[in-house]
């Protein structure tokens, strides 16, 4: 899709009678371009994004920039365990591509004639999804996971919630009035904030058909003791409850205990449970601490103590 986007932007610029080529630096008469193997060096995707949107930063642009950074992190590695965490961004990248394709070149260029249903479906069952999530949370993907959490946390709410940045949908069973009819079995109903009553009906329907789950405010969050255990397993130094307290204070993951606004946390790391009057921590917090505190100088700067190496359980 990075290649496809680059090609699309090049086509747009050519249609606009612009040459999407890198210009040589320096002075001289006329415009001089860079050449590679006898051909002009074309703009890469990052340059195309800058030229196409200029000073605007719509969600579609942020979606591409997310994948630019992710591509650089992954390079040529294969990480299928990332898939469940990125479905929303992936689907938005596809629909944004068709939107700009048809906007710039007309409806005849739409991909809908080739793809009956553009949505991607996962055959993963809940247990398989849990296993994929465990692999995603593993140490091997720490740098990629940290990039994903950091990028998402940097986005304003209106971008993060936009379907142009990440498309999130419910699949609702659709009744067929006439068996054997040619209607598509799946119909996409976009979220329209201008129709609150209609959207509320959809929410009620999805509540009825979703897999039954007991609503828990702290679902998926970790208690401080669990954080200590997980960070200790990923660090070469001792990590205690006192160490953790020093960490959340240093990195301001949450307010102090006497705060009048306990909900003012860094939500990518910590969430306040008003009913339980307690804090829960995210997997991103564990990853962040393991990465930051692996450096001995950072450890001492954060905790005020020299790091004490953990004992090797098998010194032989």
């Amino acid at each position: 899709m990075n290649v496809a986007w680059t090609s699309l932007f090049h086509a747009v610029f050519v249609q606009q009678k612009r040459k999407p080529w890198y210009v040589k630096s320096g002075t001289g008469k006329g415009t001089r371009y860079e050449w590679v193997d006898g051909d002009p060096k074309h703009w890469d995707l990052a340059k195309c994004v800058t030229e196409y949107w200029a000073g605007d930063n719509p969600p579609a642009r942020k979606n591409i920039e997310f994948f630019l950074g992710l591509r650089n992190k992954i390079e040529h590695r294969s990480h299928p365990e990332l898939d469940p965490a990125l479905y929303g961004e992936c689907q938005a990248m596809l629909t944004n591509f068709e939107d700009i394709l048809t906007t710039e070149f007309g409806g005849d260029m739409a991909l809908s004639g080739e793809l009956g249903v553009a949505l991607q479906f996962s055959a993963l069952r809940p247990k398989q999804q849990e296993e994929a999530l465990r692999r995603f949370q593993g140490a091997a993907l720490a740098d990629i996971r940290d990039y994903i959490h950091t990028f998402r946390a940097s986005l304003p709410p209106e971008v993060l919630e936009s379907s142009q940045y990440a498309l999130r949908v419910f699949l609702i069973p659709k009744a067929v009035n006439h068996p054997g009819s040619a209607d598509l079995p799946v119909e996409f109903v976009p979220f329209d904030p201008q129709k609150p009553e209609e959207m509320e009906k959809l929410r009620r329907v999805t509540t009825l058909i979703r897999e039954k789950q007991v609503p828990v405010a702290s679902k998926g969050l970790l208690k401080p003791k669990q954080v200590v255990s997980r960070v200790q397993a990923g660090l070469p130094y001792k990590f205690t409850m006192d160490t953790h307290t020093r960490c959340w204070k240093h990195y301001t993951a949450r307010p102090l205990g006497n705060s009048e606004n306990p909900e003012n946390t860094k939500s990518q790391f910590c969430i306040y449970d008003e009913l339980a009057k307690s804090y829960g921590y995210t997997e991103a917090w564990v990853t962040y601490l393991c990465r930051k505190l692996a450096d001995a100088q950072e450890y001492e700067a954060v905790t005020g103590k020299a790091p004490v190496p953990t004992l090797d359980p098998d010194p032989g």
Side-chain angles (χ1 to χ4, degrees):
M1 284 305 300
N2 278 276
V3 173
W5 269 109
T6 305
S7 299
L8 175 58
F9 281 131
H10 287 172
V12 170
F13 297 139
V14 169
Q15 181 177 243
Q16 296 172 348
K17 300 188 184 304
R18 299 173 61 190
K19 294 181 178 179
W21 304 342
Y22 284 101
V23 177
K24 281 186 176 182
S25 59
T27 59
K29 293 183 178 180
T31 303
R32 297 187 177 184
Y33 298 100
E34 295 184 26
W35 291 74
V36 178
D37 296 330
D39 294 313
K41 183 179 179 181
H42 285 68
W43 293 337
D44 60 16
L45 182 53
K47 175 68 171 175
C48 288
V49 167
T50 301
E51 292 292 330
Y52 186 81
W53 277 295
D56 295 333
N57 285 287
R61 175 175 182 168
K62 291 301 180 184
N63 176 271
I64 296 177
E65 291 175 347
F66 170 77
F67 282 106
L68 277 171
L70 185 65
R71 179 196 61 185
N72 295 338
K73 285 283 184 184
I74 293 176
E75 297 179 320
H76 299 293
R77 291 175 286 172
S78 175
H79 288 302
E81 54 269 45
L82 290 175
D83 294 351
L86 302 178
Y87 284 152
E89 280 98 345
C90 287
Q91 187 58 54
M93 193 183 204
L94 292 173
T95 54
N96 293 342
F97 182 87
E98 184 173 56
D99 286 344
I100 291 184
L101 177 66
T102 54
T103 297
E104 297 289 350
F105 296 100
D108 291 343
M109 296 292 106
L111 300 177
S112 56
E114 304 294 330
L115 302 174
V117 179
L119 292 175
Q120 301 175 15
F121 300 100
S122 170
L124 290 177
R125 308 309 301 166
K127 288 184 178 180
Q128 292 171 295
Q129 290 176 327
E130 291 175 5
E131 178 59 30
L133 180 60
R134 281 194 291 271
R135 294 196 302 270
F136 175 64
Q137 298 294 355
L141 294 178
D143 60 329
I144 298 174
R145 186 172 59 250
D146 187 53
Y147 166 78
I148 293 172
H149 290 313
T150 302
F151 190 96
R152 288 173 175 169
S154 70
L155 299 175
E158 62 271 17
V159 172
L160 191 61
E161 296 170 4
S162 171
S163 61
Q164 289 186 318
Y165 173 73
L167 182 62
R168 299 173 179 88
V169 297
F170 290 113
L171 299 181
I172 304 175
K174 180 181 177 182
V176 179
N177 294 327
H178 303 287
S181 65
D183 290 346
L184 288 174
V186 176
E187 181 178 352
F188 175 63
V189 181
F191 181 84
D192 186 352
Q194 303 302 320
K195 301 178 180 178
E197 293 182 1
E198 185 175 328
M199 293 300 103
E200 181 58 31
K201 290 180 182 178
L202 281 176
R203 289 193 185 95
R204 288 200 295 269
V205 172
T206 57
T207 300
L208 292 174
I209 68 168
R210 269 186 285 183
E211 181 178 356
K212 184 178 180 181
Q213 294 182 347
V214 177
V216 180
S218 58
K219 183 176 177 62
L221 297 178
L222 303 171
K223 295 180 178 180
K225 186 176 180 180
Q226 292 174 300
V227 173
V228 170
S229 176
R230 296 198 186 194
V231 175
Q232 179 62 89
L235 272 185
Y237 310 121
K238 285 188 177 180
F239 190 88
T240 65
M241 191 68 72
D242 176 70
T243 315
H244 181 244
T245 300
R246 292 171 184 267
C247 285
W248 65 251
K249 288 181 179 179
H250 180 84
Y251 295 118
T252 62
R254 46 156 284 194
L256 297 176
N258 59 354
S259 172
E260 295 182 357
N261 302 105
E263 72 281 359
N264 290 343
T265 65
K266 289 185 176 178
S267 58
Q268 71 268 37
F269 294 145
C270 180
I271 302 294
Y272 180 67
D273 185 339
E274 184 175 4
L275 185 62
K277 306 297 182 184
S278 64
Y279 291 93
Y281 298 88
T282 66
E283 291 286 354
W285 177 237
V286 173
T287 301
Y288 183 79
L289 292 181
C290 288
R291 180 173 61 84
K292 298 288 286 187
L293 300 184
D295 180 87
Q297 292 183 340
E298 177 75 3
Y299 183 102
E300 186 167 358
V302 172
T303 66
K305 301 178 180 180
V308 178
T310 53
L311 295 178
D312 188 344
D314 184 16

